[in-house]
Amino acid sequence: MRIGHGYDVHRLVEGRKLIIGGVEIEHTLGLLGHSDADVLLHAIMDSLLGAMGLGDIGKHFPDTKAEYKDVSSVVLLKKVANILDENAYIIENIDATVIAQKPKIAPHIDRMKEVICDTLNISPSQLNIKATTEEGLGFTGDESGISAHSVCLLNSVRDAFYVSTDSKDCTGCSGCQSKG
C-alpha cells in the first residue's frame, strides 16, 4: 500500500470561471492559473502521483508548456489515471477537503464526485470530498484564494507479495507453515 498527499492553492481573480472538482460554480471570481486552476483536481492528482513516487503535476504538466494553457484539469486527471494504469496501481480511496470562505462548496460535491469517479473509473465509495471555511482567517478566509488537500491510498500489483506454490522455492512466509 502507498499513501499520497496533495495540496494546491490558487488566487481568486475577476474574469475567470470558477471550476472546482471539474464543475463550474457560479461565482463573481475565478481561480488564476496556467490551466483552469482547479485546486481540488490538482490536489488529487498530486496525491496520486506522490503515492506512486512520480513527482507532482508540475513535473508532468509544466506551466511552461503552451499545450497546458487553460486546459481542463479533468483532461489532466485522465492522464494521471492512465499513469496509474501503466504502473499497475489501483486506487483504494481518496479523501479530499476544499477550503473556501465563498462560495459554498457543499451543494456541488455530488456532481464533483460524479466527474472525478467517472474520470478515474472508481466507485463513489472510494472518494470522499469535504468542504470547510477558515472562519474568516487567512487567505481563504479573506476570500483571496481557495485551497484543497487530498490524501489517497493506492495498491500495486507490483508491490504484492509473491508466494511460490513450489515448496522448494518457499522461504517460509507467515502465510503458510512450509519451510521448503
Side-chain angles (χ1 to χ4, degrees):
M1 284 192 229
R2 292 169 164 255
I3 297 169
H5 175 261
Y7 172 76
D8 196 43
V9 60
H10 285 277
R11 178 180 305 279
L12 283 163
V13 296
E14 292 181 359
R16 297 264 306 188
K17 292 180 181 179
L18 179 60
I19 300 170
I20 301 176
V23 174
E24 187 174 337
I25 298 172
E26 188 77 27
H27 193 52
T28 58
L29 303 172
L31 294 170
L32 181 62
H34 186 71
S35 67
D36 64 5
D38 187 328
V39 292
L40 177 56
L41 294 189
H42 291 187
I44 289 172
M45 287 186 278
D46 272 348
S47 69
L48 294 168
L49 290 166
M52 291 186 283
L54 296 177
D56 60 17
I57 60 174
K59 176 181 176 182
H60 292 268
F61 317 113
D63 63 7
T64 55
K65 292 206 172 183
E67 67 190 279
Y68 301 123
K69 178 71 175 142
D70 297 322
V71 69
S72 166
S73 293
V74 174
V75 170
L76 302 180
L77 183 62
K78 185 63 179 169
K79 290 178 184 283
V80 171
N82 292 338
I83 294 169
L84 285 161
D85 289 344
E86 290 165 6
N87 289 279
Y89 283 100
I90 299 164
I91 297 171
E92 290 295 332
N93 77 305
I94 299 168
D95 186 31
T97 305
V98 178
I99 302 103
Q101 195 66 36
K102 288 183 184 172
K104 293 294 183 192
I105 302 301
H108 307 282
I109 288 176
D110 288 342
R111 180 70 185 119
M112 291 174 187
K113 285 185 73 164
E114 285 177 30
V115 170
I116 296 166
C117 289
D118 287 349
T119 305
L120 292 174
N121 196 28
I122 60 175
S123 74
S125 67
Q126 292 172 278
L127 174 63
N128 187 52
I129 300 172
K130 303 175 296 294
T132 190
T133 68
E134 288 192 309
E135 304 296 328
L137 300 173
F139 69 90
T140 60
D142 71 12
E143 301 175 47
S144 296
I146 295 177
S147 65
H149 288 269
S150 174
V151 177
C152 72
L153 179 65
L154 303 180
N155 265 316
S156 172
V157 174
R158 294 180 182 153
D159 289 345
F161 184 79
Y162 173 76
V163 178
S164 172
T165 56
D166 185 352
S167 65
K168 71 179 179 1
D169 294 330
C170 183
T171 58
C173 69
S174 61
C176 69
Q177 301 305 314
S178 176
K179 296 288 184 195

